[in-house]
Amino acid sequence: MKSNHQYNNPVKATLKGIRDLFKKRGRIGALHPDEHLKGKTVMITGASSGLGLATAKQVARLGARVVMVVRSGIPEKGNEVRRASGSEDIIMLPVDLSDFNSIDTLVSRIKEEIGTVDIVISNAAVVAAKARMTKAGLEEMFMVNYFSAYYLIRSLLRQNLIATDPDQPARIIIVGSESHRDPAEFDWDAFGQFQAHAVGKTVALYGYYKLLLVTFAFELSRRLNQKQITHSVFALCPGPVNSNIAREAPAFFQPILKLVFRLFFRSPEQACEPVVYLATSRSLNKKSFMYLFLMEEKSIDEKALDTANGSKLWTLSKQLAEKLGYPLL
Ligand SMILES: NC(=O)c1ccc[n+]([C@@H]2O[C@H](COP(=O)([O-])OP(=O)(O)OC[C@H]3O[C@@H](n4cnc5c(N)ncnc54)[C@H](OP(=O)(O)O)[C@@H]3O)[C@@H](O)[C@H]2O)c1
């Protein structure tokens, strides 16, 4: 895969993240003290750890009903959010985002137990030490980091499980990464194909799947909002976060990574500010698309803005789901 060589190995990616943190940046704004999420249902994937867990606590403090969609941590992470926020309105639903059947079960449970969701935060991701094959034959990082977001969000939309109120459009928030700028091009021929890889290629693939994710976010906004704005689709990069994201890094690298993360990276509580802002801010009502890097509004990479790429990704994703026996009903 051709790369722009900024995020294509763990050392470069970490150093670039630290440099970015110390650069002077603009700020889009801050939440007004009277802004809240009372009456809103917020669903967060990957809410058991790091950024997702910190976001769950913050949106619960702001009064939201929180649906924590998790692979692990039931019930203890929900109890942690209840204690931290003082809210009892916390629901936990299990999912394995590497498994289509598990996502289908999640969507059924949302329909039966939750009803419509006002704000969807697609946050879960994995940085895998090597390629692992899912039950459907996909590469796990491709499935969890891109395709599950496509499949889950489109399933929720198809089943009218995301609220539609033209006065207060629903928000779909996608946690991306600045590393989406690193791949030099799309590799459409290899789309969805299992590619064996070792840890050396993981960081480059992570950036590539974030490129797919951000391209999907822009295309989704374009398709949903053709006549009027019904859904705000927002994407962001939280900057470097002291989370569990590097849990699969080689053992010899772990102590140094943990030290660097602790010394230089932001805590999940600090890093979730753009996620919470995008979920809550009144000033963003009726915006169709926005991307934040930390708290600065930025344009996404031009490859992701190119509607020919967005259409191609949309078509290939739909075809892949059909081919694997999971058409969007
Ligand atoms: N950390 C950074 O420096 C950084 C920088 C830029 C962007 N981001 C993005 O921020 C988001 C959150 O990451 P994080 O840093 O908070 O990492 P994290 O602490 O590792 O959290 C990742 C979350 O994803 C969940 N997850 C992974 N595989 C899953 C699966 N198959 N099914 C369901 N859930 C699954 C994990 O669940 P378990 O707890 O069960 O494993 C966990 O809750 C990701 O999208 C990441 O790409 C992070």
Side-chain angles (χ1 to χ4, degrees), residues 46 48-49 51 71-72 96-97 123 206 210 241 243-244 247:
S48 57
S49 171
L51 196 72
R71 173 175 63 173
S72 65
D96 178 353
L97 293 169
N123 160 76
Y206 173 85
K210 289 295 189 189
V241 191
S243 68
N244 292 313
R247 64 184 96 176

Side-chain angles (χ1 to χ4, degrees), residues 274-294:
V275 192
V276 176
Y277 183 83
L278 289 172
T280 315
S281 176
R282 276 193 295 260
S283 68
L284 307 180
N285 198 23
K286 300 198 184 171
K287 278 214 180 283
S288 56
F289 184 81
M290 175 178 282
Y291 175 79
L292 293 183
F293 172 35
L294 301 163

Side-chain angles (χ1 to χ4, degrees), residues 74-147:
I74 299 176
E76 64 275 14
K77 296 295 176 176
N79 290 337
E80 191 179 323
V81 174
R82 285 185 190 97
R83 272 196 307 277
S85 64
S87 168
E88 283 301 315
D89 211 357
I90 312 295
I91 299 145
M92 299 193 84
L93 291 178
V95 76
D96 178 353
L97 293 169
S98 70
D99 179 350
F100 288 101
N101 293 332
S102 178
I103 300 174
D104 286 345
T105 304
L106 169 72
V107 173
S108 302
R109 288 195 63 179
I110 289 170
K111 190 174 192 167
E112 285 154 19
E113 297 169 34
I114 310 291
T116 54
V117 174
D118 302 289
I119 299 165
V120 175
I121 302 177
S122 177
N123 160 76
V126 60
V127 178
K130 61 177 181 164
R132 291 188 289 261
M133 196 181 278
T134 68
K135 284 185 201 158
L138 300 177
E139 199 235 314
E140 183 186 322
M141 253 192 359
F142 169 82
M143 177 67 185
V144 175
N145 295 13
Y146 165 62
F147 206 53

Side-chain angles (χ1 to χ4, degrees), residues 187-245:
D187 185 358
W188 298 127
D189 292 341
F191 185 80
Q193 283 174 17
F194 181 82
Q195 305 175 41
H197 69 83
V199 69
K201 215 180 153 197
T202 291
V203 174
L205 281 172
Y206 173 85
Y208 184 61
Y209 300 146
K210 289 295 189 189
L211 173 62
L212 297 183
L213 195 60
V214 172
T215 306
F216 164 62
F218 188 64
E219 181 66 10
L220 181 68
S221 165
R222 200 172 72 81
R223 286 181 184 246
L224 287 172
N225 298 314
Q226 288 194 343
K227 292 201 188 102
Q228 60 173 339
I229 296 171
T230 56
H231 298 81
S232 300
V233 184
F234 298 143
L236 71 120
C237 172
V241 191
N242 183 8
S243 68
N244 292 313
I245 195 84

